[in-house]
Amino acid sequence: MSHAENVPMRHVRKKKTLNGQNHEKNMEQELARIIRQEPEPDRKQKLFLLCRMSVPSILSQITSIIMQYIDAAMVGGLGAAASASIGVVSTSTWLLSGLCSAVSTGFSVQSSHQIGAGNKEGARNVLRHGMITAILISSFLALFGASVSTALPVWLKADPEIREQASGYFLVFACSLPFVQMNSICSLMLQSSGNMRTPSILNASMCLLDVGFNWIFIRHFGVIGAALGTAMAEVTIACIMIWEVFVKSPVYRCRKGEKHRFDAGILSRAFRLGVPMGFEHLVVCGAMIVTTRIIAPIGTTAVAANSFAVTAESFCYMPGYGIAAAISALVGQSLGAGKKKLAKSFSNMAVLSGAAVMGIAGGLMFFLCPFVFQILTPDLQVRKSAVEVLRIELFAEPLYGVSIIAAGALRGAGDSLIPSLLNLISIWGVRISLSVMLAGRWGLRGVWAAMAVELCVRGLLLLIRQQRKL
């Protein structure tokens, strides 16, 4: 028997736990060291750091999308009506979850600035303010969502045959919002400290749980079962996220004797950062809801095809959101350390990298999308329509990547108002007006052509803002 076999298992588990905690601590300390070092890191070091922080988040996003594909395929097996019932309220679910994200960002940006300045106690105080605020706001949103769940499909002009299922799906989602909020704020707080690995692993695990719970619930409850499966996954991971932040995080874990100090300035700054982002989500999702109203009269097949095309496209843009999460933390900590030149260099590198990654992903999806839709739905007409519209939009992916990552860099700098106004101008001035004009002539293809044009305009507007602000 070897020496290793004589070691009690509790010591092995303890050693593994300590190694995991040391990895997270070393990563956060290394980030702070590189940002503060003199002279500033060279291009190779900056690219390595950007990749190191982006890759876990990108892998998490890709895993999430793969699970969404499986999720959509599980519901798609129930027929086009089932897919349409989820698709018709999907923009409304994005609206509420986006508002939760805006609340989280208002505090996580402040936390990254505190950490960059070396004030960890200040970062923990920001966290405490953020958690209390997040619980209150998400509870209000949950009550609001539950109260409008019955009327929502009617407002969206959904086909009468899918209204009941759509309403039930949205009701379950609304009730899970406090847990969605906890996942959001805990994940962003960990990322702002430089710990990209833990939230990435947990978010990927949530997708796996989603599939498992869906397999159980969809068989018994159909479309509503899909919402129950997602809600159960959110609840499970929210509990683990809270543990990771308040117990295990080297930066945020509770300190004995450290008291909560109310600071109205934290709430004021969160308001200035979060409200424009919340407004931006209202603008974006409001436009998507209007787009759904434009598409709904075309028919159930068009609604289902639109929903599947949006799901397939997410494979292309989710890597951009992974890079955006990393660059927001890098810019925030760089500016917190008083290094504006370094923040600008990081943001430029991220924008170029994101445009390249999303361009490549869009090119791959152009050729692979027929096979993707074969997995997602057995309906031949839905597949054909989804392929046609998605291929129109894929040409805009590089500039879409620019818009996502430039916005992430600007959030790290605490600039959220102007990007939100630029989104308003782009989405309502370009996408909606073009959609109204083209839908009558080209149907669903016209709506997606309008989307492609608007994404290019948005990318250019946010690139100009990023170059001038940072």
Side-chain angles (χ1 to χ4, degrees):
M1 183 178 289
S2 69
H3 173 72
E5 290 172 310
N6 285 318
V7 178
M9 284 305 296
R10 64 179 179 273
H11 295 313
V12 175
R13 287 193 295 268
K14 184 176 180 181
K15 184 176 181 180
K16 288 181 178 178
T17 302
L18 289 174
N19 286 340
Q21 290 176 344
N22 287 337
H23 180 276
E24 292 163 10
K25 185 175 181 179
N26 290 339
M27 184 165 57
E28 293 169 15
Q29 289 176 342
E30 185 178 351
L31 173 59
R33 180 186 62 79
I34 292 175
I35 286 177
R36 294 176 190 168
Q37 75 179 31
E38 294 293 348
E40 291 184 356
D42 58 27
R43 180 179 294 274
K44 185 176 180 180
Q45 285 179 301
K46 286 183 285 190
L47 183 60
F48 173 77
L49 186 58
L50 177 63
C51 291
R52 184 176 177 182
M53 292 193 65
S54 298
V55 167
S57 188
I58 291 173
L59 292 176
S60 172
Q61 298 286 357
I62 291 174
T63 302
S64 173
I65 295 310
I66 292 172
M67 295 305 119
Q68 284 185 37
Y69 281 16
I70 296 172
D71 203 12
M74 294 171 77
V75 175
L78 301 176
S83 299
S85 65
I86 295 177
V88 78
V89 297
S90 61
T91 50
S92 301
T93 62
W94 294 339
L95 170 60
L96 294 184
S97 60
L99 292 176
C100 291
S101 177
V103 174
S104 303
T105 302
F107 293 96
S108 65
V109 169
Q110 293 185 71
S111 176
S112 68
H113 290 174
Q114 294 285 355
I115 294 169
N119 185 7
K120 293 183 180 180
E121 184 178 352
R124 290 190 291 274
N125 201 37
V126 170
L127 169 66
R128 288 189 287 267
H129 282 74
M131 292 296 286
I132 294 170
T133 304
I135 290 170
L136 293 174
I137 292 178
S138 61
S139 297
F140 170 77
L141 291 175
L143 289 172
F144 171 77
S147 67
V148 302
S149 60
T150 301
L152 182 63
V154 180
W155 297 343
L156 296 175
K157 296 185 177 180
D159 193 296
E161 70 172 317
I162 66 172
R163 288 178 183 175
E164 183 178 353
Q165 293 184 98
S167 176
Y169 183 92
F170 187 77
L171 174 62
V172 174
F173 166 81
C175 292
S176 71
L177 273 173
F179 298 98
V180 174
Q181 178 72 83
M182 289 301 101
N183 280 330
S184 173
I185 192 166
C186 288
S187 182
L188 285 178
M189 284 293 180
L190 289 171
Q191 289 173 359
S192 70
S193 72
N195 181 0
M196 308 297 289
R197 190 180 79 157
T198 298
S200 298
I201 291 172
L202 289 177
N203 285 324
S205 300
M206 180 167 61
C207 297
L208 292 170
L209 287 173
D210 185 21
V211 173
F213 285 127
N214 278 356
W215 183 79
I216 295 170
F217 290 117
I218 288 177
R219 291 187 301 169
H220 299 288
F221 303 106
V223 170
I224 295 176
L228 287 171
T230 301
M232 289 296 294
E234 290 278 3
V235 171
T236 303
I237 297 301
C239 295
I240 301 174
M241 280 279 195
I242 292 170
W243 174 267
E244 288 289 337
V245 171
F246 286 97
V247 178
K248 295 183 66 177
S249 171
V251 175
Y252 297 115
R253 67 170 177 257
C254 296
R255 265 67 171 179
K256 187 175 181 180
E258 188 173 276
K259 296 181 179 179
H260 175 73
R261 295 176 289 102
F262 176 74
D263 186 342
I266 293 175
L267 297 179
S268 176
R269 288 187 291 273
F271 182 84
R272 291 200 304 270
L273 289 166
V275 167
M277 277 199 66
F279 173 72
E280 178 183 335
H281 284 295
L282 285 171
V283 167
V284 173
C285 293
M288 294 173 74
I289 291 170
V290 171
T291 302
T292 301
R293 286 176 60 90
I294 294 171
I295 295 170
I298 301 174
T300 299
T301 297
V303 174
N306 181 71
S307 178
F308 283 124
V310 169
T311 300
E313 189 220 354
S314 59
F315 175 81
C316 304
Y317 64 69
M318 281 303 174
Y321 281 108
I323 297 173
I327 196 57
S328 184
L330 287 169
V331 168
Q333 290 206 29
S334 297
L335 293 176
K339 295 195 171 184
K340 186 173 181 179
K341 182 180 177 182
L342 181 61
K344 176 66 175 287
S345 179
F346 272 131
S347 67
N348 287 342
M349 186 176 292
V351 167
L352 288 173
S353 300
V357 169
M358 285 184 55
I360 293 170
L364 291 173
M365 183 56 69
F366 188 90
F367 295 102
L368 294 177
C369 60
F371 305 102
V372 171
F373 292 124
Q374 284 180 22
I375 297 171
L376 296 180
T377 176
D379 192 304
L380 294 177
Q381 187 58 42
V382 171
R383 286 185 205 167
K384 180 181 177 182
S385 181
V387 169
E388 288 178 352
V389 299
L390 180 58
R391 282 178 167 170
I392 293 170
E393 188 273 340
L394 289 174
F395 290 100
E397 287 300 318
L399 280 172
Y400 188 16
V402 169
S403 73
I404 292 170
I405 295 157
L410 290 167
R411 279 196 301 273
D415 180 24
S416 55
L417 176 59
I418 300 301
S420 299
L421 293 176
L422 294 178
N423 272 292
L424 170 64
I425 294 168
S426 178
I427 293 174
W428 285 88
V430 179
R431 181 185 298 193
I432 296 301
S433 59
L434 280 178
S435 294
V436 171
M437 288 189 290
L438 298 179
R441 182 179 302 176
W442 294 339
L444 187 60
R445 287 176 295 176
V447 174
W448 279 71
M451 184 192 304
V453 173
E454 184 272 321
L455 289 175
C456 293
V457 172
R458 193 195 313 180
L460 292 172
L461 290 175
L462 284 167
L463 177 62
I464 293 169
R465 177 62 182 174
Q466 178 258 339
Q467 290 296 310
R468 291 181 176 179
K469 177 66 177 180
L470 290 173

